[in-house]
């Protein structure tokens, strides 16, 4: 039987909704959070999908404060603390703890190439200084480094490191990760690779962190329920829907371009506006129309609907 761990389930990496003056859009945050909470998920703010690397510190603090004020009672909140400056990451984590964030998430700095000893020391230092539980985030697409599984397993025994979020698209790594941690009650594995969501759940992953959950959190919540009930057919159908939506805004796009396309689709659903924090740019009106048409066509074929939050 699959272990039910403390940190599990659907964790949606929230976009950061912006106004035309590049401030946090408070009204949009409430809509996005309601969408996530009401469909079985919890938010993860200030991650890659949230454009965290481009956000000024005052906006990050505004988001942290607002997130804790609008959360549903008893629901967890995750926040990214990653920075190229270790001291800044520690300071942000302390602010997160002061405001009531439950879990900090950190990937490696993305400038210097680090040795394994430096990587180990970096995360141990964070874990020792951060006053809330820490999740180690592996994302080679932005850090250009894959954290070695043996090293990550060593880190997993630190009292304040409670899990990993892995966005590396590597089948062998996924299989080996679940062999290591599926039966570990004290360490959770979250997958940030949407195309393998159902497979990961059936083979021992504890949760999902899908960017598509900003639009369709219900897909992943239902997928998790299906996996818990050993309903493979239902889970695979939901995986198909996940893949189709993901292809619309991610296919043949750079990471930043895909985030702009996601925001555009969310704007069409009434969840936010499409502004991006520079250096990223929002999609053109023509591309926004094309994205909406592709999504609506897919929904029609699959007999699905997109809730409208206007």
């Amino acid at each position: 039987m699959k272990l039910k761990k403390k940190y599990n389930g659907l964790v949606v990496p929230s976009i950061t909704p912006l106004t035309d003056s590049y401030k946090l859009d408070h009204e949009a945050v409430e809509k996005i959070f309601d969408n996530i909470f009401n469909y079985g998920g919890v938010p993860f703010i200030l991650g890659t999908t949230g454009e965290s690397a481009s956000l000024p510190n005052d906006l990050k603090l505004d988001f942290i404060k607002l997130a804790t004020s609008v959360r549903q009672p008893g629901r967890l909140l995750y926040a990214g603390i990653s920075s190229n400056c270790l001291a800044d990451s520690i300071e942000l984590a302390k602010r997160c703890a002061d405001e009531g964030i439950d879990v900090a998430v950190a990937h490696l700095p993305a400038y210097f190439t680090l040795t394994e000893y430096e990587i180990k020391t970096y995360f141990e230092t964070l874990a020792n200084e951060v006053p809330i539980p820490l999740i180690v985030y592996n994302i080679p697409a932005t850090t250009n480094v894959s954290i070695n599984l043996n090293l990550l397993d060593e880190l997993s025994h630190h009292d304040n490191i409670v899990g990993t979020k892995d966005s590396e698209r590597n089948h062998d790594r996924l299989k080996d990760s679940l062999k290591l941690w599926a039966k570990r009650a004290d360490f959770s594995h979250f997958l940030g690779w949407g195309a393998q969501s159902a497979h990961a759940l059936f083979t021992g992953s504890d949760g999902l962190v899908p960017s598509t959950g900003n639009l369709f959190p219900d897909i992943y919540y239902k997928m998790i329920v299906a996996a818990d009930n050993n309903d493979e057919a239902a889970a695979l159908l939901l995986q198909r829907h996940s893949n189709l939506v993901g292809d619309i805004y991610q296919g043949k796009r750079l990471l930043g371009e895909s985030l702009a396309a996601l925001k555009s689709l969310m704007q069409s659903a009434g969840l936010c506006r499409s502004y991006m924090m520079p250096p990223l740019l929002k999609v053109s009106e023509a591309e926004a129309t094309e994205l909406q048409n592709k999504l609506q066509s897919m929904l029609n074929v699959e007999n699905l609907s997109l809730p409208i939050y206007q």
Side-chain angles (χ1 to χ4, degrees):
M1 180 180 291
K2 183 175 178 179
L3 291 174
K4 201 70 171 178
K5 304 178 189 179
K6 181 175 181 179
Y7 303 103
N8 69 84
L10 173 59
V11 179
V12 177
S14 174
I15 64 128
T16 299
L18 300 172
T19 68
D20 57 0
S21 58
Y22 304 114
K23 301 297 183 183
L24 184 67
D25 186 335
H26 285 219
E27 181 181 355
V29 169
E30 294 192 42
K31 288 183 179 182
I32 292 164
F33 274 33
D34 282 346
N35 189 40
I36 293 170
F37 283 129
N38 293 341
Y39 287 94
V42 298
F44 162 34
I45 65 170
L46 304 180
T48 306
T49 305
E51 303 170 70
S52 60
S54 304
L55 301 179
N57 198 54
D58 60 340
L59 192 152
K60 290 183 179 182
L61 295 177
D62 189 15
F63 204 170
I64 290 165
K65 290 178 180 179
L66 181 60
T68 55
S69 72
V70 301
R71 79 157 111 202
Q72 291 185 0
R75 310 299 293 279
L76 295 178
L77 285 175
Y78 296 68
I81 60 168
S82 301
S83 168
N84 279 353
C85 175
L86 175 62
D88 287 348
S89 289
I90 293 170
E91 178 60 27
L92 186 59
K94 290 179 178 178
R95 295 295 297 270
C96 285
D98 289 344
E99 296 296 335
I101 297 291
D102 300 286
V103 184
V105 184
H107 58 63
L108 285 169
Y111 191 86
F112 296 109
T113 300
L114 305 179
T115 67
E116 287 200 3
Y117 179 70
E118 287 171 327
I119 292 171
K120 182 172 184 286
T121 302
Y122 177 81
F123 282 117
E124 286 178 338
T125 303
L126 273 182
N128 290 337
E129 296 292 334
V130 168
I132 52 179
L134 177 68
I135 285 179
V136 175
Y137 180 7
N138 181 56
I139 178 165
T142 60
T143 64
N144 296 309
V145 175
S146 172
I147 302 171
N148 181 279
L149 283 185
N150 291 330
L151 173 57
L152 188 49
D153 193 45
E154 286 185 54
L155 291 168
S156 76
H157 295 282
H158 190 289
D159 287 344
N160 200 39
I161 295 178
V162 298
T164 185
K165 182 216 167 183
D166 204 324
S167 295
E168 183 169 347
R169 299 184 176 193
N170 184 317
H171 290 279
D172 289 338
R173 181 184 178 90
L174 176 58
K175 179 180 68 175
D176 292 342
S177 296
L178 297 178
K179 283 182 181 178
L180 284 170
W181 304 311
K183 301 300 183 183
R184 281 270 306 276
D186 61 334
F187 190 76
S188 297
H189 178 275
F190 289 91
L191 187 68
W193 181 11
Q196 294 299 315
S197 297
H199 170 71
L201 291 172
F202 276 93
T203 51
S205 187
D206 302 293
L208 306 175
V209 192
S211 62
T212 311
N214 281 278
L215 261 180
F216 292 102
D218 56 316
I219 287 178
Y220 303 97
Y221 178 71
K222 291 174 182 176
M223 189 187 296
I224 290 169
V225 171
D228 287 344
N229 291 324
N230 205 32
D231 188 345
E232 186 173 5
L236 290 177
L237 177 60
L238 292 159
Q239 181 67 69
R240 168 183 166 81
H241 294 158
S242 168
N243 294 347
L244 290 170
V245 177
D247 285 346
I248 290 169
Y249 73 90
Q250 293 175 327
K252 298 181 180 180
R253 287 184 173 87
L254 298 173
L255 175 57
E257 292 176 321
S258 74
L259 298 181
L262 175 60
K263 272 192 180 179
S264 178
L265 290 174
M266 292 178 69
Q267 181 180 43
S268 70
L271 284 166
C272 67
R273 287 175 277 183
S274 61
Y275 299 109
M276 303 294 292
M277 184 64 74
L280 300 181
L281 300 173
K282 67 179 183 177
V283 303
S284 67
E285 291 186 13
E287 188 175 2
T289 299
E290 182 181 6
L291 285 163
Q292 292 173 34
N293 290 341
K294 285 183 176 179
L295 179 60
Q296 192 57 59
S297 177
M298 186 280 289
L299 295 174
N300 291 341
V301 169
E302 298 295 320
N303 195 27
L304 299 172
S305 60
L306 175 64
I308 300 297
Y309 300 89
Q310 305 281 11

